[in-house]
Amino acid sequence: GLLLGAADGARDGRSKLRALAPDVPERTELTAAELGAAFGRDFAVHAALRDGALAAALTVELDRLAGFRGDRRINERAVVERE
């Protein structure tokens, strides 16, 4: 699975979501507007995906986006793969 939290969302909201699924990776590269656009809405602050092809593909694309933006929050798995 994969938890998505808007980069510009409140930390306490992400903490509450994380508490519900502590073992699920969380990504925060997208803003609320960017995350919302992915779901056909103006804004979305949180989203959760089940394990599967979509979550795996989105993880790869978020790694690429983070690298493109120079984002230091790239998850540990991505850093290991690049070494």
Side-chain angles (χ1 to χ4, degrees):
L2 185 63
L3 299 177
L4 302 169
D8 53 348
R11 285 184 182 224
D12 67 328
R14 288 195 305 264
S15 296
K16 290 175 185 176
L17 188 61
R18 161 72 60 225
L20 295 173
D23 297 328
V24 177
E26 178 183 27
R27 301 302 296 260
T28 59
E29 287 85 2
L30 302 175
T31 65
E34 292 167 335
L35 188 56
F39 294 101
R41 300 186 171 271
D42 290 334
F43 300 97
V45 179
H46 307 291
L49 300 175
R50 291 181 181 211
D51 269 337
L54 179 58
L58 188 54
T59 297
V60 169
E61 294 304 321
L62 288 171
D63 289 344
R64 292 179 60 208
L65 177 63
F68 176 76
R69 289 181 174 173
D71 195 333
R72 299 267 183 224
R73 295 173 293 170
I74 298 173
N75 68 22
E76 292 175 12
R77 185 190 58 74
V79 172
V80 170
E81 285 180 358
R82 290 186 183 144
E83 292 178 352

Coordinates of all heavy atoms in Angstrom, one line a residue:
G1 N 0.8 -1.2 0.0 CA 0.0 0.0 0.0 C 0.9 1.2 0.0 O 2.1 1.2 0.0
L2 N 0.2 2.4 0.0 CA 0.9 3.7 0.0 C 0.0 4.7 0.5 O -1.2 4.8 0.2 CB 1.2 4.0 -1.5 CG 2.0 5.2 -1.8 CD1 3.4 5.1 -1.1 CD2 2.2 5.4 -3.2
L3 N 0.5 5.5 1.5 CA -0.2 6.7 2.0 C 0.3 7.9 1.3 O 1.5 8.0 1.1 CB 0.0 6.8 3.5 CG -0.5 5.7 4.4 CD1 -0.1 5.9 5.8 CD2 -2.0 5.4 4.2
L4 N -0.6 8.8 0.9 CA -0.2 10.0 0.3 C -0.7 11.2 1.2 O -1.9 11.2 1.5 CB -0.8 10.2 -1.1 CG -0.5 9.0 -2.1 CD1 -1.3 9.1 -3.3 CD2 1.0 9.1 -2.4
G5 N 0.2 12.1 1.5 CA -0.2 13.2 2.3 C 0.3 14.5 1.6 O 1.5 14.5 1.1
A6 N -0.5 15.5 1.5 CA -0.1 16.7 0.8 C 1.0 17.4 1.5 O 1.0 17.5 2.7 CB -1.3 17.6 0.7
A7 N 2.0 17.8 0.7 CA 3.2 18.5 1.3 C 2.8 19.7 2.1 O 3.4 20.1 3.1 CB 4.2 18.8 0.2
D8 N 1.7 20.4 1.6 CA 1.3 21.6 2.3 C 0.1 21.3 3.2 O -0.5 22.3 3.7 CB 0.9 22.6 1.2 CG -0.1 22.2 0.2 OD1 -0.3 20.9 0.1 OD2 -0.6 23.0 -0.6
G9 N -0.1 20.1 3.6 CA -1.1 19.7 4.5 C -0.6 19.8 6.0 O 0.6 19.8 6.2
A10 N -1.5 19.7 6.9 CA -1.1 19.8 8.3 C -0.4 18.5 8.8 O -0.8 17.4 8.4 CB -2.3 20.1 9.2
R11 N 0.7 18.7 9.5 CA 1.4 17.5 10.0 C 0.5 16.6 10.9 O 0.7 15.4 10.9 CB 2.6 17.9 10.8 CG 3.7 18.4 9.9 CD 5.0 18.7 10.7 NE 6.0 19.1 9.7 CZ 7.3 18.7 9.8 NH1 7.7 17.9 10.7 NH2 8.1 19.2 8.9
D12 N -0.3 17.2 11.7 CA -1.1 16.5 12.7 C -2.1 15.5 11.9 O -2.4 14.4 12.3 CB -1.8 17.3 13.7 CG -2.9 18.2 13.1 OD1 -2.7 18.6 11.9 OD2 -3.9 18.5 13.8
G13 N -2.6 16.0 10.8 CA -3.4 15.1 9.9 C -2.7 13.9 9.4 O -3.2 12.8 9.4
R14 N -1.4 14.2 8.9 CA -0.6 13.1 8.4 C -0.3 12.1 9.6 O -0.3 10.9 9.4 CB 0.6 13.6 7.8 CG 0.4 14.3 6.4 CD 1.6 14.5 5.6 NE 2.7 15.2 6.3 CZ 2.9 16.5 6.2 NH1 2.1 17.2 5.4 NH2 3.9 17.1 6.8
S15 N -0.1 12.6 10.8 CA 0.2 11.8 11.9 C -1.0 10.9 12.2 O -0.8 9.7 12.6 CB 0.6 12.6 13.1 OG 1.7 13.4 12.9
K16 N -2.2 11.4 12.1 CA -3.4 10.6 12.4 C -3.5 9.5 11.4 O -3.9 8.4 11.7 CB -4.6 11.5 12.4 CG -4.6 12.4 13.6 CD -5.8 13.4 13.5 CE -5.8 14.4 14.7 NZ -6.8 15.4 14.6
L17 N -3.3 9.8 10.1 CA -3.4 8.8 9.1 C -2.3 7.8 9.3 O -2.5 6.6 9.1 CB -3.2 9.5 7.7 CG -3.5 8.6 6.5 CD1 -4.9 8.1 6.5 CD2 -3.2 9.4 5.2
R18 N -1.1 8.2 9.6 CA 0.0 7.3 9.8 C -0.3 6.3 11.0 O 0.1 5.1 11.0 CB 1.3 8.1 10.1 CG 2.4 7.4 10.8 CD 3.2 6.4 10.0 NE 3.9 6.8 8.9 CZ 3.9 6.2 7.7 NH1 3.2 5.1 7.6 NH2 4.6 6.5 6.7
A19 N -1.0 6.8 12.0 CA -1.3 6.0 13.2 C -2.3 4.8 12.8 O -2.2 3.7 13.3 CB -2.0 6.8 14.3
L20 N -3.1 5.1 11.7 CA -4.0 4.0 11.3 C -3.3 2.9 10.5 O -3.8 1.8 10.4 CB -5.1 4.7 10.4 CG -6.0 5.6 11.1 CD1 -7.0 6.3 10.1 CD2 -6.8 4.9 12.2
A21 N -2.2 3.3 9.9 CA -1.5 2.3 9.0 C 0.0 2.5 9.2 O 0.7 3.0 8.3 CB -1.9 2.5 7.6
P22 N 0.6 2.2 10.4 CA 2.0 2.5 10.7 C 3.0 1.8 9.8 O 4.1 2.3 9.7 CB 2.1 2.1 12.2 CG 1.0 1.1 12.4 CD -0.1 1.5 11.5
D23 N 2.7 0.7 9.2 CA 3.6 -0.1 8.4 C 3.5 0.3 6.9 O 4.3 -0.3 6.1 CB 3.4 -1.6 8.6 CG 3.7 -2.0 10.1 OD1 4.6 -1.3 10.7 OD2 3.1 -2.9 10.5
V24 N 2.7 1.2 6.5 CA 2.5 1.5 5.1 C 3.4 2.7 4.8 O 3.4 3.7 5.5 CB 1.0 1.8 4.8 CG1 0.8 2.2 3.4 CG2 0.1 0.6 5.2
P25 N 4.1 2.7 3.7 CA 5.0 3.8 3.3 C 4.1 5.1 3.1 O 3.0 5.0 2.6 CB 5.6 3.4 2.0 CG 5.5 1.9 2.0 CD 4.3 1.6 2.8
E26 N 4.7 6.2 3.4 CA 4.0 7.5 3.2 C 4.8 8.4 2.3 O 6.1 8.4 2.4 CB 3.8 8.2 4.6 CG 3.1 9.6 4.4 CD 3.0 10.3 5.7 OE1 3.8 10.1 6.6 OE2 2.1 11.1 5.8
R27 N 4.2 9.0 1.4 CA 4.9 10.0 0.5 C 4.2 11.3 0.6 O 3.0 11.4 0.8 CB 4.8 9.4 -1.0 CG 5.3 8.1 -1.2 CD 6.8 8.0 -0.8 NE 7.6 8.8 -1.7 CZ 8.3 8.4 -2.7 NH1 8.3 7.1 -3.0 NH2 9.1 9.2 -3.4
T28 N 5.0 12.4 0.5 CA 4.5 13.7 0.7 C 5.1 14.7 -0.3 O 5.2 15.9 -0.1 CB 4.9 14.2 2.1 OG1 6.3 14.2 2.3 CG2 4.2 13.4 3.2
E29 N 5.4 14.2 -1.5 CA 6.0 15.1 -2.6 C 4.9 16.0 -3.2 O 5.3 17.0 -3.7 CB 6.6 14.2 -3.7 CG 7.9 13.6 -3.3 CD 7.7 12.3 -2.6 OE1 6.6 11.8 -2.4 OE2 8.7 11.7 -2.2
L30 N 3.7 15.6 -3.2 CA 2.7 16.4 -3.9 C 2.0 17.4 -3.0 O 1.7 17.1 -1.9 CB 1.6 15.4 -4.5 CG 2.1 14.3 -5.5 CD1 1.0 13.4 -5.9 CD2 2.8 15.0 -6.7
T31 N 1.6 18.5 -3.6 CA 0.8 19.5 -2.9 C -0.6 19.1 -2.9 O -1.0 18.1 -3.6 CB 0.9 20.9 -3.6 OG1 0.3 20.8 -4.9 CG2 2.3 21.4 -3.7
A32 N -1.5 19.7 -2.1 CA -2.9 19.4 -2.1 C -3.5 19.6 -3.5 O -4.4 18.8 -3.9 CB -3.6 20.2 -1.0
A33 N -3.1 20.6 -4.2 CA -3.7 20.8 -5.6 C -3.2 19.7 -6.5 O -4.0 19.2 -7.3 CB -3.2 22.2 -6.1
E34 N -2.0 19.3 -6.4 CA -1.4 18.2 -7.3 C -2.1 16.9 -7.0 O -2.5 16.1 -7.9 CB 0.1 18.1 -7.1 CG 0.8 19.3 -7.7 CD 2.3 19.3 -7.3 OE1 2.7 18.7 -6.2 OE2 3.1 19.9 -8.0
L35 N -2.2 16.6 -5.7 CA -2.9 15.4 -5.2 C -4.4 15.4 -5.7 O -4.9 14.4 -6.1 CB -2.7 15.2 -3.7 CG -3.2 13.9 -3.1 CD1 -2.5 12.7 -3.8 CD2 -2.9 13.9 -1.6
G36 N -5.0 16.5 -5.5 CA -6.4 16.6 -5.9 C -6.6 16.4 -7.4 O -7.5 15.7 -7.8
A37 N -5.7 16.9 -8.2 CA -5.8 16.8 -9.6 C -5.7 15.3 -10.0 O -6.4 14.9 -11.0 CB -4.7 17.6 -10.3
A38 N -5.0 14.5 -9.3 CA -4.9 13.1 -9.6 C -6.2 12.4 -9.4 O -6.5 11.3 -10.0 CB -3.8 12.4 -8.8
F39 N -7.1 12.9 -8.6 CA -8.4 12.3 -8.3 C -9.5 13.1 -8.8 O -10.7 12.9 -8.5 CB -8.5 12.1 -6.8 CG -7.6 11.1 -6.2 CD1 -6.4 11.6 -5.6 CD2 -7.8 9.8 -6.3 CE1 -5.5 10.7 -5.0 CE2 -6.9 8.9 -5.8 CZ -5.7 9.3 -5.2
G40 N -9.3 14.1 -9.7 CA -10.3 14.9 -10.3 C -11.0 15.9 -9.4 O -12.1 16.2 -9.6
R41 N -10.2 16.3 -8.4 CA -10.8 17.3 -7.4 C -9.9 18.5 -7.4 O -8.7 18.5 -7.9 CB -10.9 16.7 -6.1 CG -11.8 15.5 -6.0 CD -11.9 15.0 -4.6 NE -12.9 14.0 -4.5 CZ -14.2 14.2 -4.3 NH1 -14.7 15.4 -4.2 NH2 -15.1 13.2 -4.2
D42 N -10.4 19.6 -6.8 CA -9.5 20.8 -6.7 C -8.4 20.5 -5.7 O -7.3 20.9 -6.0 CB -10.4 22.0 -6.2 CG -11.3 22.5 -7.3 OD1 -11.1 22.2 -8.5 OD2 -12.4 23.1 -6.9
F43 N -8.7 19.9 -4.6 CA -7.7 19.6 -3.6 C -7.9 18.3 -2.9 O -9.1 17.8 -2.8 CB -7.7 20.7 -2.5 CG -7.4 22.1 -3.0 CD1 -8.5 22.9 -3.2 CD2 -6.1 22.5 -3.2 CE1 -8.2 24.2 -3.7 CE2 -5.9 23.8 -3.6 CZ -6.9 24.6 -3.9
A44 N -6.9 17.6 -2.5 CA -7.0 16.4 -1.6 C -5.8 16.5 -0.7 O -4.6 16.8 -1.1 CB -6.9 15.2 -2.5
V45 N -6.0 16.3 0.6 CA -4.9 16.3 1.5 C -4.3 15.0 1.9 O -3.1 14.8 2.1 CB -5.4 17.0 2.8 CG1 -4.3 17.1 3.9 CG2 -5.9 18.4 2.5
H46 N -5.2 13.9 1.8 CA -4.8 12.6 2.1 C -5.4 11.6 1.1 O -6.5 11.8 0.7 CB -5.2 12.1 3.5 CG -4.8 13.1 4.6 ND1 -3.5 13.2 5.0 CD2 -5.6 13.9 5.4 CE1 -3.5 14.1 6.0 NE2 -4.7 14.5 6.2
A47 N -4.6 10.5 0.9 CA -5.2 9.4 0.0 C -4.4 8.2 0.5 O -3.3 8.2 1.0 CB -4.9 9.7 -1.4
A48 N -5.1 7.0 0.3 CA -4.4 5.8 0.6 C -4.7 4.8 -0.6 O -5.8 4.8 -1.2 CB -5.0 5.2 1.9
L49 N -3.7 4.1 -1.0 CA -3.8 3.1 -2.0 C -3.5 1.7 -1.5 O -2.6 1.6 -0.6 CB -2.8 3.4 -3.2 CG -2.9 4.7 -3.8 CD1 -1.8 5.0 -4.8 CD2 -4.3 4.8 -4.5
R50 N -4.2 0.7 -2.0 CA -3.8 -0.7 -1.6 C -2.6 -1.1 -2.3 O -2.2 -0.5 -3.3 CB -5.0 -1.6 -2.0 CG -6.2 -1.4 -1.3 CD -7.2 -2.4 -1.8 NE -8.5 -2.2 -1.0 CZ -9.3 -3.2 -0.8 NH1 -9.1 -4.4 -1.2 NH2 -10.4 -3.0 -0.1
D51 N -2.0 -2.2 -1.8 CA -0.8 -2.8 -2.5 C -1.3 -3.2 -3.9 O -2.4 -3.6 -4.1 CB -0.4 -4.1 -1.8 CG 0.7 -3.8 -0.8 OD1 1.4 -2.8 -0.9 OD2 0.8 -4.6 0.1
G52 N -0.4 -3.0 -4.9 CA -0.7 -3.4 -6.2 C 0.0 -2.6 -7.2 O 0.9 -1.8 -6.9
A53 N -0.3 -2.7 -8.5 CA 0.4 -2.1 -9.6 C 0.3 -0.6 -9.5 O 1.3 0.1 -9.8 CB -0.1 -2.6 -10.9
L54 N -0.8 0.0 -9.1 CA -0.9 1.4 -9.1 C 0.0 2.0 -8.0 O 0.7 3.0 -8.2 CB -2.4 1.9 -8.8 CG -2.6 3.4 -8.7 CD1 -2.1 4.1 -10.0 CD2 -4.0 3.7 -8.4
A55 N 0.0 1.4 -6.8 CA 0.9 1.9 -5.7 C 2.3 1.8 -6.1 O 3.1 2.7 -5.9 CB 0.6 1.1 -4.4
A56 N 2.7 0.7 -6.8 CA 4.1 0.4 -7.2 C 4.5 1.5 -8.2 O 5.6 2.1 -8.2 CB 4.3 -1.0 -7.7
A57 N 3.6 1.7 -9.2 CA 4.0 2.6 -10.3 C 4.0 4.1 -9.8 O 4.9 4.8 -10.1 CB 2.9 2.5 -11.4
L58 N 3.1 4.4 -8.9 CA 3.1 5.7 -8.3 C 4.4 6.0 -7.4 O 5.0 7.1 -7.5 CB 1.9 6.0 -7.4 CG 1.7 7.4 -7.0 CD1 1.7 8.4 -8.1 CD2 0.4 7.5 -6.2
T59 N 4.8 4.9 -6.7 CA 6.1 5.1 -6.0 C 7.3 5.4 -6.9 O 8.1 6.3 -6.6 CB 6.3 3.8 -5.2 OG1 5.3 3.6 -4.2 CG2 7.7 3.8 -4.4
V60 N 7.3 4.7 -8.0 CA 8.4 4.9 -9.0 C 8.3 6.4 -9.5 O 9.3 7.1 -9.6 CB 8.4 3.9 -10.1 CG1 9.3 4.3 -11.3 CG2 8.7 2.5 -9.6
E61 N 7.1 6.8 -9.9 CA 7.0 8.1 -10.4 C 7.2 9.2 -9.4 O 7.8 10.3 -9.7 CB 5.6 8.3 -11.0 CG 5.4 7.4 -12.2 CD 6.4 7.7 -13.3 OE1 6.8 8.8 -13.6 OE2 6.8 6.7 -14.0
L62 N 6.9 9.0 -8.1 CA 7.2 9.9 -7.1 C 8.7 10.0 -6.8 O 9.2 11.1 -6.5 CB 6.4 9.6 -5.8 CG 4.9 9.9 -5.8 CD1 4.2 9.3 -4.6 CD2 4.6 11.4 -6.0
D63 N 9.3 8.9 -6.9 CA 10.8 8.9 -6.8 C 11.4 9.8 -7.9 O 12.3 10.6 -7.6 CB 11.4 7.5 -6.8 CG 11.1 6.6 -5.6 OD1 10.7 7.2 -4.6 OD2 11.3 5.4 -5.7
R64 N 10.9 9.6 -9.1 CA 11.4 10.4 -10.2 C 11.1 11.9 -10.0 O 12.0 12.7 -10.2 CB 10.8 9.9 -11.5 CG 11.3 8.5 -11.9 CD 10.6 8.1 -13.2 NE 11.0 9.0 -14.3 CZ 10.2 9.2 -15.3 NH1 9.1 8.5 -15.5 NH2 10.6 10.0 -16.3
L65 N 9.9 12.2 -9.6 CA 9.5 13.6 -9.3 C 10.4 14.2 -8.2 O 10.9 15.3 -8.4 CB 8.1 13.7 -8.9 CG 7.6 15.1 -8.6 CD1 7.6 16.0 -9.8 CD2 6.1 15.0 -8.0
A66 N 10.6 13.5 -7.1 CA 11.4 14.0 -6.0 C 12.9 14.3 -6.5 O 13.5 15.3 -6.2 CB 11.4 13.0 -4.9
G67 N 13.4 13.4 -7.3 CA 14.7 13.6 -7.9 C 14.8 14.8 -8.8 O 15.7 15.6 -8.8
F68 N 13.8 15.0 -9.6 CA 13.7 16.1 -10.5 C 13.6 17.4 -9.8 O 14.3 18.4 -10.1 CB 12.5 15.9 -11.4 CG 12.3 17.1 -12.4 CD1 13.1 17.3 -13.5 CD2 11.3 18.0 -12.1 CE1 12.9 18.3 -14.3 CE2 11.1 19.1 -13.0 CZ 11.9 19.3 -14.1
R69 N 12.8 17.4 -8.7 CA 12.7 18.6 -7.9 C 13.8 18.8 -6.9 O 13.9 19.8 -6.3 CB 11.4 18.5 -7.1 CG 10.1 18.7 -7.9 CD 8.9 18.6 -7.1 NE 7.7 18.9 -7.8 CZ 6.5 18.8 -7.4 NH1 6.3 18.4 -6.1 NH2 5.5 19.0 -8.1
G70 N 14.7 17.8 -6.8 CA 15.8 17.9 -5.8 C 15.3 17.8 -4.4 O 15.9 18.3 -3.5
D71 N 14.3 17.0 -4.3 CA 13.6 16.8 -3.0 C 14.5 15.8 -2.1 O 14.7 14.7 -2.5 CB 12.2 16.2 -3.2 CG 11.4 16.3 -2.0 OD1 11.9 16.3 -0.8 OD2 10.1 16.4 -2.1
R72 N 14.8 16.3 -0.9 CA 15.6 15.4 0.0 C 14.8 14.4 0.7 O 15.3 13.6 1.4 CB 16.3 16.3 1.0 CG 17.2 17.3 0.4 CD 18.6 16.8 0.4 NE 19.5 17.7 -0.2 CZ 20.5 17.5 -1.0 NH1 20.6 16.2 -1.5 NH2 21.2 18.4 -1.5
R73 N 13.5 14.4 0.5 CA 12.6 13.5 1.2 C 12.4 12.2 0.4 O 11.5 11.4 0.7 CB 11.2 14.1 1.4 CG 11.3 15.3 2.4 CD 10.0 16.0 2.4 NE 9.7 16.6 1.1 CZ 8.6 17.1 0.8 NH1 7.6 17.1 1.6 NH2 8.4 17.6 -0.4
I74 N 13.2 11.9 -0.6 CA 13.1 10.6 -1.3 C 13.2 9.5 -0.3 O 14.0 9.5 0.6 CB 14.2 10.5 -2.4 CG1 14.1 11.6 -3.4 CG2 14.2 9.2 -3.1 CD1 15.3 11.7 -4.4
N75 N 12.3 8.5 -0.5 CA 12.3 7.4 0.5 C 13.6 6.6 0.4 O 14.3 6.6 -0.5 CB 11.0 6.6 0.3 CG 11.0 5.8 -1.0 OD1 12.1 5.5 -1.6 ND2 9.8 5.4 -1.4
E76 N 13.9 5.9 1.5 CA 15.1 5.2 1.6 C 15.3 4.1 0.5 O 16.4 3.9 0.1 CB 15.2 4.5 3.0 CG 15.3 5.4 4.2 CD 15.2 4.8 5.5 OE1 15.3 3.5 5.5 OE2 15.0 5.5 6.5
R77 N 14.2 3.5 0.1 CA 14.3 2.5 -0.9 C 14.9 3.1 -2.2 O 15.7 2.5 -2.9 CB 13.0 1.8 -1.2 CG 13.0 0.7 -2.2 CD 11.6 0.2 -2.6 NE 10.9 1.3 -3.2 CZ 11.1 1.8 -4.5 NH1 12.1 1.3 -5.2 NH2 10.3 2.7 -4.9
A78 N 14.4 4.2 -2.6 CA 14.9 4.9 -3.8 C 16.4 5.2 -3.7 O 17.1 5.1 -4.7 CB 14.1 6.1 -4.1
V79 N 16.8 5.7 -2.5 CA 18.2 6.0 -2.4 C 19.1 4.8 -2.5 O 20.1 4.8 -3.2 CB 18.4 6.7 -1.0 CG1 19.9 6.9 -0.7 CG2 17.7 8.1 -0.9
V80 N 18.7 3.7 -1.9 CA 19.4 2.4 -2.0 C 19.5 2.0 -3.5 O 20.6 1.6 -3.9 CB 18.8 1.3 -1.1 CG1 19.4 0.0 -1.4 CG2 19.0 1.7 0.3
E81 N 18.4 2.1 -4.2 CA 18.4 1.6 -5.6 C 19.4 2.5 -6.5 O 19.9 2.0 -7.4 CB 17.0 1.7 -6.2 CG 16.1 0.7 -5.7 CD 14.7 0.8 -6.3 OE1 14.5 1.7 -7.1 OE2 13.8 0.0 -6.0
R82 N 19.6 3.7 -6.2 CA 20.4 4.6 -7.0 C 21.9 4.4 -6.7 O 22.7 4.8 -7.5 CB 20.1 6.1 -6.7 CG 18.7 6.4 -7.3 CD 18.4 7.9 -7.1 NE 17.1 8.1 -7.6 CZ 16.3 9.0 -7.1 NH1 16.6 9.7 -6.1 NH2 15.1 9.1 -7.6
E83 N 22.3 3.8 -5.6 CA 23.7 3.6 -5.2 C 24.3 2.4 -5.9 O 23.7 1.6 -6.5 CB 23.8 3.4 -3.7 CG 23.5 4.7 -3.0 CD 23.6 4.5 -1.5 OE1 23.7 3.3 -1.0 OE2 23.5 5.5 -0.8

